[in-house]
Amino acid sequence: MSKRTAKDAHLPVGECVTQVQDILRQRLCHQRLPDKPEGVESQHRHLLELLKRTAIHGESNSVLIVGPRGAGKTMLLKCVLRDLLEDKEAQKSLLQVHLNGLLQTDDRIALKEITRQLHLENVVGDKVFGSFAENLGFLLEALKKGDRSSSRPVLFILDEFDLFAHHKNQTLLYNLFDVSQSAQAPIAVVGITCRLDVLELLEKRVKSRFSHRQIHLLSSLTFTQYLERVRTQLSLPDGFPDSRFAQDWNDGVKTLCGDKSVEEVLQRHYNSSKDVRSLHMLLMLCLSRVSVAKPAIKPADLLEASRLCFADAKANMLHGLSILELCLIIAMKHLNDVYEGEPFNHQMVHNEFKKFLQRKSNSMYNFEQPVILKAFEHLQQLELIRPVDGSSAKTQREYQLMRLMLDHSQIMEALQKYPQCPTDVKQWAMSAFG
Amino acid sequence: MKYFTRLRVRRVYKWRGEPLSFNRKLKTFEYGSLVISVDGLPRTTVINAGQHILIEGEDEDNPYVAKVIRLFGDESGKQKKAVVQWFVRVSEVPLSKLKLLGREPHPQEIFLYQGRSCDDEVNAESILRPVQVKHLDRAAPFPDSGDKDTLFVKLSWDSKTFRELESAAPVASPPPPTPPLPKPSLPPSPPRSPPTAAPAPARRALPTPDPAVMRRAASGEVRGGRATTSAGKVGVTEAESLHLASRLSASKCSSARRRKAIARTPGVRKKLQLSSPEATTRQDILDEDRASEMMLAQRLSSSPPLTLRLTHSLTPLRKAGAATTPRAHRLTPLRKAHGAAVTAEDTAVPLEPDSRTPSARDDSTRIEEDNENSPMLSAAAATPRSSKRKSAQLVSSRIRKQLNLLENLQVLNSDGDDDEDEFVPSKKELQSSSDEEEEEEEGALESDEEEEVLSKKSRRAAAGSCTPRSKRKTTSTSARTPRKTPNKKIPPGTPRTPRHATPSIPSRSLPARRPGNVLEEARARLHVSSVPESLPCREQEFQDVYSFVESKIVDGTGGCMYISGVPGTGKTATVHEVMRCLQHAADVDEIPPFHFIEINGMKMTDPHQAYVQILQNLTGQKATADHAAALLEKRFSSAAPRKETTVLLVDELDLLWTRKQNVMYNLFDWPTRRHARLVVLTIANTMDLPERIMINRVASRLPYSFKQLQQIIMSRLNKVKAFEEDALQLVSRKVAALSGDARRCLDICRRATEICEHSPADPFSTGLVGMSHVMEALNEMFSSAYITAIRCASLQEQLFLRAVIAEFRRLGLEEATFQQVFVQHRALCRVEGLQPVSVSEGLAACQRLGACRLLLLEPSRLGVLQRVRLNVSQDDVLFALKDD
């Protein structure tokens, strides 16, 4: 019997790997909330207290959560809401309205969404709201009729708050903040934004009505914490069915994090961005390389993942170009060097290219003018070059002014990696003068 | 009787007959009736004093309802005026006050208006047509009448409360009073009813007195009439409630009678109306025949202020009245019951007969016509009508008197003494008797015409049925009650704007918790939303606004005021406080009642919505912007007869700016209209609104000084000791220096209490909010996050910022393309010993900085070509990066 239980603990490797993938993917992709938000405890407490007062005391509030992308603003809010709703009293009374500046692009849509989320449309039966004005009046009246002690508090969450500030007259914001500052239905307005200058976006009347509470989420994560986070993110929880596999896996992760090369890669990532999301992306790439044959993350996987993450998109595109197109790019690079970034047109590039051909006296690259023009247009389609603003349709295509959208380093990098790049082309690219 | 309400036609108003009297002081002629004819239609409508009428108002569908008291015109004959007693429709009662009613108002319900703010003098040319008004008992259900033209009165409205009409004794005992009541209400009926059959000949005999006497009487009457009305008016003011009581009962009676009539004629009222014109004409002819007699009789009977001579001639009438004694005796107890309270003015007494006419319009039209035929009569009719309403009560009192007379003449005389100075006591008796007589006379009229007209028949039937007055009343009431109850569903009358369902946030199951400790209490008090007990530091402004609005309300004029100031300086709060005070003043009758409306430019989606909102607040009507503008324009420019002053608060005025500026123009133009009675208070931040339209302004609302801010906080806290003294001072000084925004100040204090609450308990601390807490709150709110953000940025981002600055310095410009910065960035990477970054990586860092708005970027589709600017000063960046 004991043998059997022992056997149960050892799941087949394939099973284990599936389990690992499941658990970790949920963590990395589904943004599962951590049990305790790390590094933002004080903000968490502040926000929780604030929302609690709205939910329980009926005090109206407004607050902005500000922080760079990937700093955990939404995660913080979600944690707070989760904790808040554990309170039965709050859970019973709190109404939530979630708006996103990217979805509710104007006040009309936002108002409809609010009405829908508050289930107010039921009051008027199936009546479809006619005008925007009617809708606004409707909502305002609804909020006005409430009072601090008897109405259920409403929590308005405005994601991408800064986009709401671009709505006409900021009507929605004015009204929400006005309600939050007058004795109407208790509401809490929580704005989430990554713009530090968000207050400057608010019209002075709107600004005056905003309580000026801002919760900043600026991660002061050190590299050790960053490493620790990588480890915890990859580690399996205690409850994993096969404890031995979990043990092995966790040990593997620990050694991985201790690896010098891995540390270097992670350092580079850390230097580049402390964003949790980019870290998750990196780890996700590693995780996808885990298979039954290789049930662990090796340093090589991380290096490969890192290489993918840092790959330069434009340089990669250059690899797919034809020799002719590459030559044109090189000609443009020389023109840029000579004219210090002044725009060029097709004719100039063609001349530059012809100069190169004359020097070589090689007929290998003798292309017809239309072919070259076609290649030029292809580059434009790939957005490697773009026309200068304002000089569009009127001028002939050959004389339309263009700018190169590539940096020299990208061109050189691409040339290095370009398969079977003719040496004379390479040399031409390297040479200081056309 | 024609109804041409819907016809958009020109009406011609003419006096009917010669003036009854001439007021030398005012140079006005008093008339008995007004003829309204419509262009192109042969028919005419006659408006007599005492009739209920519709008066042109803002709302086409719901014209004003009133009762004509008297009609007069000026010497030139150009101006025709009418003095009316107003009624208000349900729609005219402010929505907020409708709740006081405690029930759903009937769509056709109207209320006797007892407020004093409305001018009771209207242009006669605003009269549309007569209307039927029924007085109902408070408890009585609304009869289900198919026609929309009948209105019901149950209560009176004095702009604050609804009152029962029958405030006096009759109310208390509705069933007993019924018998006596009918008498007054149907002035003709009581005396007439008993003798209906018999008296006719007697009556005939009466008018016969020689014409000369009549003429003389008439001339005397003219003078007398004048006196009567004035006296009547006085009386009205003296004993309003009493009047009310009796009037109600009277009207009740009449309505009952009318109903009877209607019931008789199977064809519903419409038919009656249709037939009536013909009846009228026929009547006219008939009248011609009898004109002389009739005239005399009518005049004699109806003219209350008869000269002594006249009274003498009337004496026989009194006797006729005496004939009714038995019946009168029957009534006596009742009469006493309600008559005791009544102080009757004899002047009003004569009006009675007329009061009957309007109420029972259908059948009475004819009689009116009669009156018109004989100028004298009409004149006589006019006089009474003017005070009819108020006099309804008088009727009852007079009846009582009459009864007294019958029983004991001495009593009557003594009555007369206190009642009227103008009248010789002895005359009084006469008068009362004459009333009776008159009634009889009418009865006679009926009998004459009986055979001819159906409608007449019905009326007669009604009259006949009422002969035993008390009986009739009771039967009618009993008949009414059952009928009404079943058809409770009333066909939607006037197209009322449906009160749109107002949604509300569901209420919470558990009540919100009350503040538990001092800090929580302080926090609640400091919340901007809490209504302060007083408004410190805005006393001067308060005074300015208050006296402005008050004076306008008292004068019944209009005006505008512009209030400007930076946000959070108490503009709206001051105005609201003013309105609260004024409302209170209006509630205790210090100033006339007014209507307060508030709109906010920010709370509407389009400037033109202002019209819609104003209209909706004003009348509850819904309309499109254009229509609303037209309606408002009409309302404010027409000489609307009765209008309360409207105080309109326009918040955030600058949002109402349109290209043509028509919204703003109207807002400032309406108050200047003569009849608008509109006070507009506008609030805005900007001071640069065109000066020409600014009539009055409380400008230069400077931000609060730190002393004022401190005072504001103190007054809000109201002795809740939660702050240390210097902490408060710090907050107020800081805010005063920054913006002077009181909201900010309150928010900081509120935040400070939170910080204090959650700061670890310091054994030495007082538990109050101290300097440190306030400092922390201030830092949270005012410190810019840029520097922290830069410090918290990743290494590459910081390098990029450095590269930006380096490139700026190299270029000597505050702008560079990404490409240029990137070169610097790579160089810096080499210097720092880091792996060179790729373009993608550099762009990503750049975009992240741009998202935080540390950098200002061009659209990212420009790639390496996008231009980069710093959104922070270079010094700040360098300062932030120095410490690392």
Side-chain angles (χ1 to χ4, degrees):
Chain A
M1 203 62 176
S2 65
K3 219 177 182 184
R4 186 158 179 84
T5 41
K7 223 177 193 176
D8 272 1
H10 294 291
L11 297 172
V13 178
E15 193 84 355
C16 285
V17 168
T18 324
Q19 291 264 2
V20 167
Q21 295 273 14
D22 266 2
I23 292 171
L24 294 188
R25 272 167 204 266
Q26 205 162 43
R27 227 181 253 168
L28 301 176
C29 301
H30 287 199
Q31 324 245 317
R32 245 191 61 189
L33 295 180
D35 297 330
K36 202 93 183 95
E38 294 161 45
V40 288
E41 286 80 10
S42 70
Q43 286 96 331
H44 180 265
R45 204 181 55 223
H46 182 179
L47 189 60
L48 184 61
E49 280 300 319
L50 197 74
L51 296 187
K52 220 174 219 169
R53 278 207 305 281
T54 299
I56 292 166
H57 294 277
E59 177 185 310
S60 290
N61 279 312
S62 49
V63 66
L64 277 181
I65 305 175
V66 186
R69 297 224 179 272
K73 303 180 291 292
T74 309
M75 183 271 296
L76 171 70
L77 182 66
K78 280 184 176 165
C79 283
V80 166
L81 280 181
R82 183 191 60 193
D83 298 348
L84 181 67
L85 294 182
E86 278 167 15
D87 186 332
K88 278 279 177 300
E89 195 179 333
Q91 191 188 4
K92 258 193 202 162
S93 53
L94 195 66
L95 295 168
Q96 296 183 32
V97 176
H98 294 261
L99 300 176
N100 191 318
L102 293 169
L103 299 177
Q104 282 78 42
T105 49
D106 66 24
D107 283 346
R108 176 198 298 266
I109 303 172
L111 283 176
K112 278 193 180 156
E113 184 64 18
I114 293 172
T115 318
R116 195 185 63 74
Q117 291 193 22
L118 286 177
H119 301 294
L120 288 177
E121 78 272 38
N122 297 340
V123 180
V124 271
D126 290 334
K127 186 189 168 195
V128 179
F129 292 114
S131 65
F132 179 27
E134 233 171 292
N135 216 339
L136 179 68
F138 181 78
L139 182 71
L140 288 179
E141 196 157 344
L143 292 171
K144 206 169 186 174
K145 272 175 79 185
D147 70 25
R148 174 173 177 155
S149 48
S150 63
S151 303
R152 287 177 72 177
V154 187
L155 175 60
F156 287 92
I157 295 165
L158 308 182
D159 212 344
E160 308 294 349
F161 177 85
D162 47 314
L163 296 179
F164 286 97
H166 292 124
H167 295 178
K168 190 188 163 218
N169 285 347
Q170 303 189 350
T171 309
L172 180 73
L173 294 184
Y174 177 91
N175 285 305
L176 285 182
F177 285 144
D178 196 58
V179 171
S180 84
Q181 296 231 323
S182 51
Q184 303 182 3
I187 67 167
V189 182
V190 180
I192 301 179
T193 180
C194 62
R195 285 186 66 162
L196 297 169
D197 64 343
V198 66
L199 282 187
E200 290 158 37
L201 296 177
L202 298 179
E203 205 255 357
K204 60 186 176 211
R205 286 170 279 220
V206 181
K207 192 173 172 182
S208 171
R209 281 166 174 77
F210 170 57
S211 73
H212 278 60
R213 283 166 197 272
Q214 293 186 72
I215 297 177
H216 288 284
L217 285 184
L218 300 165
S219 67
S220 47
L221 202 64
T222 61
F223 181 61
T224 17
Q225 287 169 324
Y226 189 79
L227 263 186
E228 181 59 23
R229 182 167 286 183
V230 171
R231 203 183 57 73
T232 49
Q233 289 286 323
L234 286 179
S235 297
L236 288 176
D238 294 336
F240 194 76
D242 189 333
S243 55
R244 183 180 293 177
F245 183 86
Q247 187 68 40
D248 291 347
W249 174 271
N250 287 347
D251 288 345
V253 168
K254 207 174 258 174
T255 47
L256 178 78
C257 290
D259 190 282
K260 245 310 167 260
S261 62
V262 167
E263 211 167 289
E264 229 165 71
V265 168
L266 287 178
Q267 176 78 52
R268 190 172 171 206
H269 271 271
Y270 171 77
N271 284 347
S272 157
S273 155
K274 298 177 187 175
D275 186 347
V276 183
R277 249 180 244 159
S278 67
L279 173 65
H280 282 174
M281 173 63 94
L282 178 74
L283 297 181
M284 193 57 207
L285 288 172
C286 303
L287 184 65
S288 54
R289 296 174 153 269
V290 172
S291 62
V292 182
K294 190 171 69 71
I297 298 179
K298 299 286 176 219
D301 298 332
L302 197 70
L303 294 182
E304 182 57 24
S306 165
R307 199 186 55 75
L308 277 174
C309 279
F310 283 119
D312 192 306
K314 284 273 165 72
N316 281 345
M317 270 164 73
L318 289 177
H319 294 173
L321 294 182
S322 67
I323 293 291
L324 171 61
E325 285 157 348
L326 199 62
C327 287
L328 291 179
I329 293 278
I330 293 167
M332 290 169 196
K333 170 186 171 285
H334 285 308
L335 282 173
N336 260 352
D337 286 342
V338 172
Y339 298 108
E340 288 176 332
E342 286 301 305
F344 48 83
N345 60 29
H346 168 255
Q347 210 54 50
M348 291 162 77
V349 175
H350 195 187
N351 285 343
E352 193 69 25
F353 182 46
K354 274 196 278 193
K355 268 197 266 175
F356 165 64
L357 292 185
Q358 279 161 11
R359 244 183 318 171
K360 292 288 140 194
S361 67
N362 193 337
S363 62
M364 185 181 154
Y365 307 119
N366 265 339
F367 297 106
E368 303 283 321
Q369 160 87 8
V371 177
I372 295 176
L373 189 58
K374 191 76 195 164
F376 193 76
E377 278 169 4
H378 187 223
L379 291 178
Q380 189 182 341
Q381 280 163 7
L382 290 173
E383 288 202 344
L384 295 174
I385 55 174
R386 58 174 287 129
V388 172
D389 294 330
S391 70
S392 52
K394 279 179 190 165
T395 38
Q396 261 182 305
R397 274 179 301 179
E398 294 93 320
Y399 304 108
Q400 206 170 14
L401 288 177
M402 296 286 186
R403 276 183 200 280
L404 183 61
M405 304 261 298
L406 292 167
D407 190 63
H408 288 189
S409 56
Q410 287 170 304
I411 300 170
M412 301 318 283
E413 189 192 329
L415 277 175
Q416 298 298 332
K417 292 176 185 166
Y418 195 88
Q420 289 127 30
C421 182
T423 38
D424 48 352
V425 173
K426 245 184 207 171
Q427 278 167 356
W428 178 46
M430 304 285 205
S431 66
F433 306 101
Chain B
M1 184 138 307
K2 281 144 292 171
Y3 287 93
F4 40 74
T5 16
R6 302 284 159 179
L7 294 176
R8 302 287 167 129
V9 285
R10 204 168 72 84
R11 297 191 182 86
V12 178
Y13 296 81
K14 273 191 207 127
W15 293 122
R16 177 135 193 178
E18 294 299 312
L20 286 182
S21 61
F22 177 64
N23 183 330
R24 291 203 186 88
K25 251 191 210 162
L26 300 172
K27 308 236 172 184
T28 54
F29 288 99
E30 197 111 349
Y31 290 88
S33 57
L34 179 73
V35 184
I36 308 174
S37 58
V38 179
D39 270 3
L41 284 174
R43 294 165 180 183
T44 57
T45 309
V46 180
I47 305 287
N48 290 316
Q51 231 173 339
H52 289 92
I53 49 164
L54 293 181
I55 294 183
E56 209 170 343
E58 291 104 56
D59 186 350
E60 298 262 323
D61 293 326
N62 292 310
Y64 291 131
V65 186
K67 183 170 180 176
V68 183
I69 293 172
R70 63 197 178 92
L71 297 160
F72 64 91
D74 67 355
E75 278 174 307
S76 63
K78 272 181 196 158
Q79 280 198 311
K80 299 185 180 64
K81 301 266 181 160
V83 174
V84 297
Q85 161 66 48
W86 288 110
F87 288 85
V88 289
R89 285 178 186 269
V90 173
S91 55
E92 295 169 48
V93 178
L95 296 177
S96 56
K97 304 277 183 160
L98 264 185
K99 283 180 283 185
L100 299 175
L101 196 55
R103 61 176 163 90
E104 237 352 81
H106 187 275
Q108 279 154 258
E109 186 169 7
I110 56 174
F111 307 98
L112 181 76
Y113 182 75
Q114 295 195 297
R116 265 158 291 151
S117 66
C118 289
D119 191 0
D120 61 352
E121 194 178 290
V122 299
N123 190 345
E125 305 200 343
S126 63
I127 296 175
L128 292 175
R129 61 181 167 97
V131 70
Q132 223 171 352
V133 173
K134 291 187 187 181
H135 288 256
L136 297 177
D137 200 24
R138 176 165 204 168
F142 289 98
D144 171 46
S145 65
D147 77 81
K148 300 169 182 175
D149 292 318
T150 311
L151 300 165
F152 306 103
V153 185
K154 273 189 175 180
L155 302 169
S156 71
W157 166 247
D158 63 356
S159 75
K160 275 172 217 83
T161 49
F162 292 99
R163 294 222 183 90
E164 298 224 26
L165 283 178
E166 323 96 308
S167 50
V171 193
S173 53
T178 31
L181 293 178
K183 240 193 277 179
S185 68
L186 312 175
S189 32
R192 165 186 28 149
S193 46
T196 352
R203 227 179 315 120
R204 274 291 146 114
L206 285 175
T208 17
D210 75 3
V213 175
M214 298 311 299
R215 211 140 298 152
R216 257 173 297 149
S219 61
E221 190 186 289
V222 173
R223 249 171 284 132
R226 189 71 255 148
T228 350
T229 45
S230 60
K233 255 195 270 174
V234 174
V236 166
T237 42
E238 278 169 6
E240 265 182 6
S241 60
L242 297 177
H243 293 316
L244 267 181
S246 57
R247 175 158 39 82
L248 210 208
S249 49
S251 57
K252 221 186 284 174
C253 262
S254 67
S255 69
R257 192 167 66 129
R258 208 181 317 144
R259 192 169 302 115
K260 271 254 158 118
I262 293 165
R264 281 286 172 120
T265 30
V268 213
R269 203 161 123 264
K270 268 260 160 81
K271 246 185 210 165
L272 259 180
Q273 290 164 5
L274 284 175
S275 66
S276 52
E278 298 150 50
T280 338
T281 48
R282 235 174 315 169
Q283 185 77 36
D284 286 344
I285 300 159
L286 275 174
D287 290 347
E288 299 290 341
D289 302 339
R290 291 175 297 145
S292 58
E293 310 169 346
M294 272 297 301
M295 250 199 302
L296 288 175
Q298 196 94 347
R299 191 175 25 142
L300 286 176
S301 58
S302 61
S303 59
L306 293 176
T307 50
L308 260 182
R309 191 158 43 96
L310 243 178
T311 50
H312 281 297
S313 70
L314 288 176
T315 6
L317 294 182
R318 181 164 51 94
K319 266 172 199 160
T324 59
T325 351
R327 197 174 50 87
H329 277 298
R330 224 188 330 160
L331 297 174
T332 12
L334 292 175
R335 163 184 54 93
K336 267 177 197 157
H338 76 130
V342 183
T343 58
E345 309 111 10
D346 292 74
T347 29
V349 178
L351 307 179
E352 269 181 278
D354 301 293
S355 71
R356 152 201 47 135
T357 17
S359 50
R361 208 192 334 150
D362 300 328
D363 19 27
S364 61
T365 350
R366 263 180 305 144
I367 289 161
E368 286 170 28
E369 299 290 337
D370 297 351
N371 291 346
E372 283 147 23
N373 288 342
S374 51
M376 296 294 212
L377 289 181
S378 67
T383 16
R385 213 161 285 161
S386 61
S387 56
K388 164 193 65 170
R389 251 130 204 278
K390 297 147 188 185
S391 67
Q393 180 198 9
L394 298 180
V395 175
S396 67
S397 74
R398 194 167 48 120
I399 287 166
R400 173 185 54 128
K401 239 179 289 164
Q402 188 180 348
L403 293 173
N404 279 346
L405 175 87
L406 296 172
E407 289 170 313
N408 181 355
L409 273 179
Q410 275 87 356
V411 175
L412 225 180
N413 288 348
S414 63
D415 269 0
D417 283 322
D418 29 66
D419 288 347
E420 269 292 323
D421 307 329
E422 293 175 38
F423 290 93
V424 195
S426 66
K427 183 180 43 159
K428 192 152 283 179
E429 312 165 20
L430 290 176
Q431 243 173 339
S432 53
S433 65
S434 75
D435 281 345
E436 268 190 301
E437 220 247 328
E438 184 190 27
E439 289 165 322
E440 284 176 345
E441 198 174 71
E442 284 180 24
L445 275 180
E446 290 168 35
S447 59
D448 285 342
E449 300 151 4
E450 259 174 18
E451 306 87 344
E452 302 167 8
V453 195
L454 178 83
S455 64
K456 228 180 290 167
K457 225 185 241 171
S458 71
R459 181 170 81 114
R460 180 189 44 125
S465 69
C466 62
T467 355
R469 174 69 51 84
S470 53
K471 230 181 262 172
R472 174 181 68 111
K473 225 285 155 88
T474 41
T475 50
S476 70
T477 37
S478 64
R480 179 187 355 155
T481 15
R483 200 191 319 158
K484 203 186 320 180
T485 21
N487 352 347
K488 196 72 197 199
K489 52 143 189 155
I490 293 140
T494 42
R496 293 179 61 218
T497 47
R499 299 272 296 105
H500 62 287
T502 49
S504 58
I505 305 297
S507 34
R508 55 194 299 158
S509 47
L510 297 164
R513 261 185 226 161
R514 315 289 344 149
N517 57 33
V518 176
L519 286 176
E520 282 180 9
E521 172 76 23
R523 201 149 53 223
R525 289 178 162 281
L526 287 173
H527 199 284
V528 183
S529 72
S530 72
V531 179
E533 286 96 353
S534 65
L535 268 185
C537 310
R538 285 294 175 232
E539 289 85 3
Q540 185 52 49
E541 287 83 356
F542 176 88
Q543 205 49 53
D544 290 350
V545 179
Y546 187 91
S547 47
F548 173 79
V549 180
E550 188 192 30
S551 67
K552 298 297 176 199
I553 291 176
V554 170
D555 299 348
T557 54
C560 20
M561 178 177 251
Y562 178 63
I563 302 166
S564 70
V566 293
T569 49
K571 301 179 294 295
T572 311
T574 305
V575 174
H576 277 151
E577 185 71 14
V578 167
M579 294 328 291
R580 259 197 300 278
C581 290
L582 283 171
Q583 198 70 61
H584 180 74
D587 285 346
V588 297
D589 274 346
E590 279 168 16
I591 58 168
F594 61 94
H595 197 161
F596 176 53
I597 303 176
E598 185 183 359
I599 60 169
N600 187 325
M602 271 293 209
K603 293 186 179 174
M604 53 190 71
T605 52
D606 174 274
H608 294 97
Q609 286 294 320
Y611 299 128
V612 179
Q613 294 197 3
I614 294 173
L615 186 72
Q616 191 166 4
N617 281 322
L618 217 48
T619 66
Q621 241 176 314
K622 270 185 160 183
T624 61
D626 287 344
H627 188 217
L631 287 176
L632 288 172
E633 176 74 27
K634 192 175 167 205
R635 183 188 175 103
F636 290 126
S637 51
S638 65
R642 79 157 168 264
K643 209 180 250 179
E644 291 182 354
T645 299
T646 307
V647 181
L648 173 64
L649 168 61
V650 184
D651 214 340
E652 315 293 5
L653 176 74
D654 46 334
L655 264 293
L656 297 184
W657 186 90
T658 52
R659 186 178 298 274
K660 283 190 190 164
Q661 301 215 344
N662 45 7
V663 177
M664 270 207 226
Y665 178 82
N666 277 333
L667 284 178
F668 287 112
D669 186 44
W670 287 334
T672 63
R673 306 274 172 85
R674 214 179 117 223
H675 305 288
R677 304 192 73 174
L678 175 69
V679 182
V680 174
L681 301 174
T682 54
I683 298 183
N685 294 313
T686 44
M687 322 267 281
D688 57 350
L689 283 171
E691 291 290 330
R692 62 181 173 86
I693 44 174
M694 299 308 156
I695 286 98
N696 220 310
R697 80 192 251 174
V698 178
S700 68
R701 302 283 311 268
L702 295 175
Y704 290 111
S705 72
F706 88 90
K707 281 241 167 74
Q708 290 177 321
L709 287 173
Q710 203 168 343
Q711 203 180 334
I712 288 169
I713 304 174
M714 296 299 281
S715 88
R716 287 247 179 177
L717 284 172
N718 194 23
K719 304 211 179 74
V720 173
K721 182 72 181 149
F723 280 80
E724 282 170 15
E725 203 58 36
D726 39 359
L728 273 190
Q729 191 161 350
L730 176 68
V731 177
S732 32
R733 276 184 189 276
K734 188 87 180 173
V735 174
L738 281 165
S739 61
D741 188 336
R743 292 197 185 104
R744 201 67 326 97
C745 199
L746 294 171
D747 280 332
I748 293 169
C749 290
R750 213 150 57 87
R751 177 65 186 140
T753 60
E754 289 172 30
I755 294 170
C756 174
E757 201 168 17
H758 295 110
S759 62
D762 180 352
F764 303 106
S765 79
T766 48
L768 300 182
V769 181
M771 288 289 266
S772 58
H773 306 122
V774 170
M775 279 306 284
E776 199 180 330
L778 281 170
N779 281 339
E780 258 181 38
M781 291 200 179
F782 286 116
S783 73
S784 123
Y786 286 118
I787 293 179
T788 340
I790 294 173
R791 283 190 184 148
C792 292
S794 73
L795 187 60
Q796 292 295 352
E797 287 158 10
Q798 290 177 348
L799 280 182
F800 192 84
L801 283 175
R802 270 175 212 241
V804 169
I805 290 179
E807 186 63 19
F808 284 179
R809 294 211 169 142
R810 189 182 74 83
L811 293 171
L813 291 171
E814 289 285 296
E815 187 180 279
T817 64
F818 171 79
Q819 207 165 8
Q820 291 166 320
V821 176
F822 185 66
V823 175
Q824 297 281 346
H825 189 187
R826 284 180 83 111
L828 279 172
C829 279
R830 275 194 294 276
V831 170
E832 295 286 325
L834 298 168
Q835 268 184 295
V837 288
S838 69
V839 176
S840 291
E841 221 180 323
L843 262 179
C846 175
Q847 295 297 350
R848 279 197 297 272
L849 292 171
C852 296
R853 286 299 188 279
L854 284 168
L855 292 180
L856 297 176
L857 300 176
E858 281 188 306
S860 59
R861 69 190 152 79
L862 292 175
V864 293
L865 297 177
Q866 62 189 312
R867 278 171 299 191
V868 177
R869 273 192 206 180
L870 271 181
N871 197 26
V872 238
S873 76
Q874 295 191 13
D875 294 340
D876 281 356
V877 177
L878 292 177
F879 170 77
L881 295 176
K882 194 173 58 186
D883 287 2
D884 297 13

